[in-house]
Structures are given as structure tokens and as C-alpha cells.
Amino acid sequence: MGTRGRERMKQSSLSIDTLREVVRTLPKNGLTPSREAAVAHLDEHGLPTLRDEDWKYTDLSPVVDISNRWLTAGGQQQLPKPPSETIAAITSSIDAAWLVISNGTIDEQSVGALKQKGVEVSRFSDAPSEFVMSRPLADLNAALLQDGLRVRVTESIEKPIGILIVDRAGDSVAVAQSCVEIEVGSGVSADFIEYHASEGDADHYANTVLSIAVGDRADVRHVRIQNRSVRHVQTGRTSITAGREARLRMASYDLGGGLIRNDVDIDISEPGADITFDGLYLAGDGQHIDNHTRVDHRVGPATSSQEYRGILKGNCRCVWNGKAIVHKGADGTDASQANHNLLLSDKAEIDTKPELEIYADEVKCSHGTTVGQLDETALFYLRARGLDKRHATQILTHAFAADIVLRAPVAGVKDAITAIVEARLAELIEADAAADLLS
Amino acid sequence: MLEITDLKSRIGDSEILRGLSLSVKAGEVHAIMGPNGSGKSTLAQVIAGHEDYEVTGGTVTYEGHDLLELEPEERAREGIFLGFQYPVEIPGVNNAYLLKAAVNAKRKHQGLGEVDAFEFLKLAREKMAVLGMDPKFLNRGVNEGFSGGEKKRNEILQMAMLEPSLAILDETDSGLDIDALKAVAAGVNALRSPERAIILVTHYQRLLDYVQPDYVHVLSQGRIVRSGDKSLALELEERGYEWVREAANA
Ligand SMILES: Nc1ncnc2c1ncn2[C@@H]1O[C@H](COP(=O)(O)OP(=O)(O)O)[C@@H](O)[C@H]1O
Ligand SMILES: [Mg+2]
């Protein structure tokens, strides 16, 4: 064992033996071989640690701790379901045909109810895909996954497909895995909404793996909303492959959650792709939100454009790392990355880093990051019009977020996002006002 | 209405207002002129309550109360309006939203209920028509991408909606073409009344052809060095600011 292995041993690590036992109790089905392969992969590589460059700002100890406690307790799979009102409140706020996964269990009824022309939904257990495992945490997902969903869209659809991943932590610690593979056929236009929510007081760790294969000339819009309890932990990996002249508009909103780590990988291996992906994260006391994105431009011409914005208040930390790799020969690539942060208190911390690696000749690449406070001049202007300091702060903070909210590529979700953003910002700024009174 | 006595103010280490006194009564229109850098905007910002300008001496009373005690928003609600020399662009904040929030903040302070949305829009459109503003500006971000003239008209629109007791317009006339200048003058003249006072900060006497001031003051190096009636503005125009500066130093 090399030094790396020994260092890992010093940090608390996932208990592989217990994991193996729990995996053995899962029902034997088509997923059994991939589970075993995933356990072997985990055994060899472990979970990422702070020593890994891509993970140096995000300590996964809570993931290890929650997972070990849950595994030791037997790794119960049939966890308490979120109340139907919780689910209904979400599904009725956004018009979509919803597939529901709660605490890692696919809701059969929601699968049965989804009857849209041109949409096929199937389970991994019916036709498992081969286990290809190179990404951290995707192995943990594959090891413990009860079942995955595969959604194929072969004809353009009007109504968005919603994927609701909703968890409830009842009396005891819980872990839930979900995995969804989306395939959008050539020339097909489709909208997707991915919604994460959780409730309950016990510790909870959710791990999601999502892939979207955007077909040639397909036109896909994807909105991800993460509104989990600030007590809960989530890691998620989204992998995108773009076909020839594929168009993708994606926006991601992290509005809740305690410890959140998102990895987005976009692979452009066919010419003509046009991709934008934007993000917004709001963090308050005790929250940690880490967004790592990576775009591989393997061929040109293609466009990728990214803008993430963050609003941080109180004792919290956010990370943005945007990597764009323009491979040799990917001439005609146009890649831009931006990350802007509003720090509403001096305890908030942001690590922001664009990374451009260019190996092609004819490319247009740009990046920009900013970290700042509210514009004092604008604040004074609003106060000079009679708005009190708190109201002025609220307006300017909203305006900062509004740009990204308005970019949500699916029109029907804007109201729902706005409502959550408004409520969350009011909480954050309210806390600010309370702190002002105390100081 | 406004009594300024021996006001001294500085920003950072430099003293900008150096013992300025001015008395403005209801119903009066005062013009304050002076070369660039003489402290005109500083005076306007101090009256509006900008925290960067430290008041190191003197007093300012407004309607009998110590103005310097009040927060900027309290001053605004008490009826003071500052038309900014450089109106601030605030992308993402809807112009109509700000107008309404400003009007409601003042109404609340006066113990009145919120303005009716329909009435508000109707009134705003009327005022915009007088100012030659397209109603589309209501739905744009505050001053976002506005031309210089559009920004200044927008300031006057805010003033017209807020109906202040004391309006201070900081070079609202600079950089305007003749039509915009006339529109701004019309907005100012519409506000003129025995209960209100207006202070026009201006660099040129051009605006004063359209808005007749009762008094003209010349500011130089942080002090009022000369006061007179409208003829002083004309004299300044003829003889230039050098003349006052010499007079001040004499
Ligand atoms: N924010 C500031 N920081 C430093 N100096 C300033 C600032 N604002 C104004 N000043 C200085 O104060 C003086 C008066 O400026 P100002 O009041 O803007 O003059 P006016 O409006 O008459 O042109 C100038 O010398 C200017 O450079
Ligand atoms: Mg000035």
C-alpha cells in the first residue's frame, strides 16, 4: 500500500466489510453484478479525501460517518416515506409529469402514471447497463442502489418530465441512493426538472447519479432545484454527453442543504454543440455548498457557457470550481465561465477557481470571477428614495439572484424558484438584521 | 425650511465644505452655481445623508429639527429629495417597483395606506407623458442602459411621484439637449408651490432661463462666496468663475 493509502487510513473511512454485508442483503436481480463490481472499486479506491485536489475544500467525513452508522445499523432500505402532502406540495407547484424516488425507492405508481407519447421509462433491474466506474461516489451509488430509472424520449414532448428525489429522515440515520439515466433521441425537444427535497431531524445522506445523453440536433432544457433540509447531506454527479449540433440549456439552483457537493461533467465529442449551464447557490449559517463543473471540448466547433452566482451570509462556505478543457484539435471552441459571489457577512467564505486548459489552436475562451459586497452607491440611492437599509439590501440581493432565476430554461418553474429564493433570502437577511441589532 | 450654518464636511482627509451657510424658506427656488470641484455635490450628498461625508462642524436644521441626526431614508420620508448628478444603474430592480416602494415608504411614514396599484400606474403614466418618457421605462431596470438624458428624466419622474417638500437637483440639467432640458424644467416648475422649496445645483445658467430662481449663490472652495438674484447668474456667465474666485480670495 502506497503513502496515499496510509494517509487515507488516518481519516475515518467507509467500513467496506459492513458495506459488503449490507449489499449482500439486497434483493438478487440484474443489478447484483454491478453492485459487486462497485464494492470492489470502493475497496480499492475508497472515498475521496481532502488530499484529492478536486476535494480539498469539501470534507466528506459527514458522508463517511452517516454511512457507517447506517450500515452498522443494518442499512435499512425501506425507510419511512415522506408524507404525501410533502410530495403533492412540490408536484403541484410545477407543471410536469413526475417520477418520484423517495429514500432511494422508486415510486411504482408514479412510473405507471407517466404515459406520454414518445417517453419510455424502464428500470435498471430489467436491463442493467454495464458497470463503468471512474467517478468518486458513483461507485457508492452503484453498490447500494436499489434500482435505477432509465428514461428514453424518442419524440418531442411538451410537458416537462419531473424527477422528484424526496427523502425523509425519521427517527434514525438514513442513506439513500438514486440513479437516473436520460436519453433524448435525435432531433427531439424535451424539458426536464430535477427536484431534490428532504425533511426530518435525523442525519441523512443522499447520493444521486444522473446522466443525460443529448442526441444529435436534440434540444434539451434541464432545471435542477435542490431545496433540502439544512440538516442534510447530499452529493450528486451529473454527466452529460452532447450529440452533433445538440443544444442544451441547463440551470441549477442550490437553495437548501447542509453539506452539498455537485459534480457536473459535460462531454462534447461531436461538433456543433451549444451548451449553457448556469447556477445559483444561497448559503447561510452552517451550510457548505460545493459546485465542481468540468467541460471537455473534444471537437469543435462548439460553445459552452457557464455562469454561477452565489449569495453567502453568515458562517458558511461555498466552492466553485469550473474546469474547461479544450482538447487537441477542438478548434472553433468557444468556452466561457463566470462565477460571481455576494458576501453578506465577513464570516462567509468562498473558494472560486476557473480552470482553463487549452490544447487547441483556434479557440475563444474567457473566464471571470468576482467576490464582493453589495454596491454601496446603489444602497445609498435606494435609501435616499426612502427605502430602509434592510429593504434596500433585500432588493439588491434579489436583483443579484434574479438574473439567474430568470434564466431558468423551463418557463413553468420560474414562479416556484422565485418563491423559494424569496423566502430563503428573507431568512438570510432577517438573520442579518437580527445580528445588526445585537452588535 | 432649511437652515445651514457654518457647515464643515470632509471626505477622507480632505476638507471640502469649509464653513457654508445657507437659508432656504418654503416657496423659494435657490440656484447654487460654482466651478467643478467647489463642493456642490458634496453639499447635496451631505443634506441627503451620505455616510462617506463626515460632518466636522456646523448645523443643518430642516423644518426645525436637526437633520444630521436622521438616516438617509428618514430624510427622504420627511420630504427631502435629491436628484443625483450621477443616477445609479441598478440592473434587476424594476423601475416601477422602486417608484412604488419609494412612494409607499413615504406614505407609511405619513400614516397612510399603500398606494392603489391601478392609481399608481395611472399617475406614473401621466407624469411620464409630461416628461416625454415612454411608459416602457417603467418595466426596465432602474436606469439600466438609460442614456444620460433618460436618467435625468427618470430622476424628475421620481421627484414628481414623491412630491418632496425640499428638492435638491444636482446638475440635473447637464448634458441634456434642449428638449430634455425643457422637459426637466417643466417637471421642476410643476413642483413649484408656496409649501415647497427647490435647490438647483447647476454649472450653467441655461436651466435658469426656464426655471426662474429667487436667489443665486456662488460656491467656491467649500464656501458661498457670493449671493444675489437672477442677475448674478447672468453676470457669472459673462465674467466666468475666475471673477468670483478672485473676489473670494480678495
Ligand atoms: N468620494 C470622494 N472621494 C474623494 N474626494 C472626493 C469625493 N467626492 C468628492 N471629492 C472631492 O471633493 C471636492 C468637491 O467635489 P464635488 O462636491 O463633487 O464638487 P462639485 O459637485 O462642485 O463639482 C473635489 O475636489 C472632489 O475631488
Ligand atoms: Mg457635482
Side-chain angles (χ1 to χ4, degrees):
Chain A
M1 188 179 279
T3 43
R4 204 173 154 275
R6 248 184 281 122
E7 275 156 6
R8 200 168 60 229
M9 298 301 284
K10 277 186 234 152
Q11 291 195 344
S12 64
S13 55
L14 190 70
S15 165
I16 297 291
D17 292 340
T18 329
L19 173 71
R20 197 171 272 125
E21 274 169 43
V22 167
V23 168
R24 222 171 271 143
T25 66
L26 295 175
K28 294 266 173 298
N29 57 23
L31 290 175
T32 306
S34 69
R35 286 190 189 121
E36 281 166 5
V39 173
H41 189 270
L42 263 171
D43 192 12
E44 193 186 337
H45 299 276
L47 293 179
T49 73
L50 295 171
R51 306 222 166 237
D52 295 293
E53 182 61 25
D54 277 352
W55 295 84
K56 66 179 176 189
Y57 298 120
T58 297
D59 182 3
L60 286 181
S61 298
V63 166
V64 172
D65 173 59
I66 294 172
S67 300
N68 281 346
R69 280 192 283 139
W70 174 75
L71 289 168
T72 308
Q76 193 196 357
Q77 297 285 340
Q78 299 306 320
L79 293 159
K81 291 251 154 38
S84 53
E85 308 88 75
T86 302
I87 294 175
I90 296 166
T91 54
S92 64
S93 72
I94 298 168
D95 182 40
W98 288 97
L99 295 167
V100 180
I101 304 175
S102 52
N103 272 333
T105 305
I106 295 166
D107 179 77
E108 298 298 333
Q109 217 180 331
S110 71
V111 177
L114 195 142
K115 287 195 173 65
Q116 276 203 77
K117 196 162 171 287
V119 181
E120 293 162 24
V121 182
S122 61
R123 261 152 286 228
F124 289 7
S125 53
D126 301 333
S129 43
E130 204 176 322
F131 174 78
V132 200
M133 199 57 54
S134 55
R135 300 292 198 205
L137 296 169
D139 46 9
L140 183 65
N141 184 270
L144 287 165
L145 188 68
Q146 293 178 39
D147 209 344
L149 277 181
R150 193 171 287 128
V151 180
R152 290 186 64 211
V153 187
T154 53
E155 283 176 47
S156 294
I157 48 173
E158 292 283 331
K159 199 186 181 95
I161 294 178
I163 295 154
L164 174 59
I165 293 165
V166 56
D167 298 326
R168 180 176 153 70
D171 300 327
S172 52
V173 61
V175 172
Q177 311 292 334
S178 47
C179 186
V180 180
E181 278 180 20
I182 294 171
E183 206 186 301
V184 180
S186 307
V188 167
S189 159
D191 292 346
F192 298 93
I193 294 149
E194 174 193 346
Y195 198 116
H196 299 264
S198 75
E199 58 181 42
D201 293 332
D203 290 338
H204 191 285
Y205 167 51
N207 184 26
T208 305
V209 172
L210 177 91
S211 66
I212 309 177
V214 185
D216 296 346
R217 295 175 313 283
D219 186 6
V220 171
R221 289 155 298 271
H222 181 86
V223 176
R224 172 183 165 277
I225 301 167
Q226 181 274 111
N227 190 25
R228 302 182 81 85
S229 158
V230 292
R231 301 181 53 91
H232 293 161
V233 177
Q234 187 192 23
T235 55
R237 180 168 296 277
T238 305
S239 307
I240 312 278
T241 54
R244 181 175 285 260
E245 284 158 39
R247 188 171 184 274
L248 175 65
R249 296 285 172 266
M250 198 158 72
S252 178
Y253 302 88
D254 279 290
L255 311 176
L259 168 59
I260 299 291
R261 162 72 183 228
N262 302 313
D263 282 273
V264 175
D265 301 316
I266 299 176
D267 190 288
I268 301 172
S269 298
E270 298 288 339
D274 168 12
I275 295 172
T276 63
F277 55 117
D278 298 313
L280 176 70
Y281 44 92
L282 310 181
D285 267 333
Q287 287 181 271
H288 179 113
I289 301 176
D290 178 348
N291 278 292
H292 265 68
T293 67
R294 172 182 169 140
V295 190
D296 279 280
H297 281 269
R298 297 183 196 281
V299 295
T303 305
S304 74
S305 148
Q306 163 184 34
E307 181 175 344
Y308 273 58
R309 286 192 188 187
I311 299 173
L312 289 73
K313 158 72 195 34
N315 195 357
C316 62
R317 186 173 194 178
C318 292
V319 181
W320 176 83
N321 187 294
K323 190 183 281 191
I325 304 172
V326 184
H327 293 259
K328 198 161 185 298
D331 295 320
T333 290
D334 183 345
S336 72
Q337 302 167 286
N339 174 233
H340 302 296
N341 297 281
L342 192 54
L343 262 57
L344 295 178
S345 70
D346 46 16
K347 280 179 289 175
E349 209 181 320
I350 173 80
D351 295 287
T352 171
K353 186 178 175 196
E355 284 183 74
L356 263 173
E357 291 175 29
I358 303 172
Y359 305 103
D361 301 324
E362 280 169 47
V363 299
K364 214 170 95 190
C365 292
S366 67
H367 60 75
T369 65
T370 59
V371 176
Q373 281 86 41
L374 284 175
D375 177 358
E376 290 291 336
T377 318
L379 212 48
F380 177 65
Y381 186 75
L382 294 177
R383 293 178 74 192
R385 294 295 173 258
L387 279 57
D388 63 39
K389 203 173 171 181
R390 199 177 84 194
H391 191 187
T393 302
Q394 209 163 33
I395 289 181
L396 293 178
T397 312
H398 271 281
F400 182 80
D403 256 20
I404 301 290
V405 172
L406 293 176
R407 268 184 239 173
V410 183
V413 298
K414 284 182 196 173
D415 287 349
I417 296 171
T418 302
I420 305 170
V421 168
E422 266 175 23
R424 187 71 187 122
L425 285 182
E427 271 171 29
L428 293 181
I429 290 160
E430 205 70 47
D432 208 32
D436 274 355
L437 289 176
L438 293 173
S439 63
Chain B
M1 175 173 278
L2 183 73
E3 280 294 333
I4 303 176
T5 314
D6 201 24
L7 182 64
K8 292 178 179 147
S9 169
R10 67 171 178 214
I11 184 156
D13 286 336
S14 46
E15 181 148 64
I16 298 167
L17 299 183
R18 299 188 299 165
L20 185 148
S21 298
L22 177 69
S23 174
V24 178
K25 294 188 181 60
E28 295 177 350
V29 174
H30 290 242
I32 296 183
M33 304 181 73
N36 276 330
S38 56
K40 303 184 298 294
S41 292
T42 301
L43 174 64
Q45 299 274 331
V46 168
I47 296 172
H50 199 298
E51 282 152 3
D52 286 354
Y53 298 87
E54 190 192 346
V55 174
T56 52
T59 57
V60 181
T61 58
Y62 170 68
E63 298 193 324
H65 301 287
D66 181 1
L67 183 69
L68 302 176
E69 283 285 290
L70 302 181
E71 296 289 332
E73 56 268 36
E74 293 170 320
R75 300 179 194 200
R77 293 172 196 168
E78 289 285 345
I80 294 181
F81 178 88
L82 168 62
F84 283 61
Q85 181 175 1
Y86 303 107
V88 184
E89 293 200 22
I90 314 183
V93 177
N94 184 280
N95 213 16
Y97 177 89
L98 171 59
L99 266 184
K100 206 159 138 196
V103 168
N104 280 333
K106 186 170 179 188
R107 287 179 65 94
K108 195 173 164 203
H109 183 71
Q110 294 169 327
L112 301 170
E114 295 216 333
V115 61
D116 175 84
F118 182 77
E119 289 296 320
F120 168 81
L121 267 184
K122 198 171 139 226
L123 191 64
R125 290 216 180 91
E126 277 170 24
K127 307 268 188 199
M128 291 176 98
V130 174
L131 291 168
M133 276 178 90
D134 191 318
K136 277 199 291 249
F137 281 98
L138 279 177
N139 296 320
R140 302 241 317 243
V142 175
N143 294 321
E144 187 181 1
F146 289 21
S147 71
E150 287 161 355
K151 284 180 181 168
K152 298 299 174 76
R153 284 182 215 228
N154 204 34
E155 294 291 287
I156 298 298
L157 171 65
Q158 293 173 358
M159 179 182 81
M161 295 297 289
L162 287 165
E163 304 185 323
S165 310
L166 172 65
I168 307 155
L169 301 178
D170 190 358
E171 297 210 24
T172 303
D173 54 330
S174 324
L176 298 187
D177 62 29
I178 192 71
D179 286 343
L181 187 70
K182 282 182 181 166
V184 164
V188 175
N189 284 325
L191 194 76
R192 256 185 123 146
S193 85
E195 305 88 58
R196 297 186 218 282
I198 298 167
I199 300 175
L200 300 171
V201 174
T202 178
H203 197 70
Y204 309 100
Q205 79 91 39
R206 201 170 61 136
L207 175 68
L208 307 182
D209 289 340
Y210 300 95
V211 185
Q212 301 281 327
D214 300 302
Y215 300 95
V216 175
H217 311 275
V218 181
L219 196 59
S220 177
Q221 294 170 22
R223 285 194 197 97
I224 289 180
V225 293
R226 225 180 157 103
S227 296
D229 61 13
K230 191 182 169 339
S231 63
L232 179 57
L234 292 168
E235 201 172 347
L236 262 180
E237 186 96 331
E238 251 165 57
R239 303 174 70 166
Y241 285 117
E242 259 328 288
W243 163 64
V244 230
R245 220 172 267 144
E246 279 157 24
N249 292 334

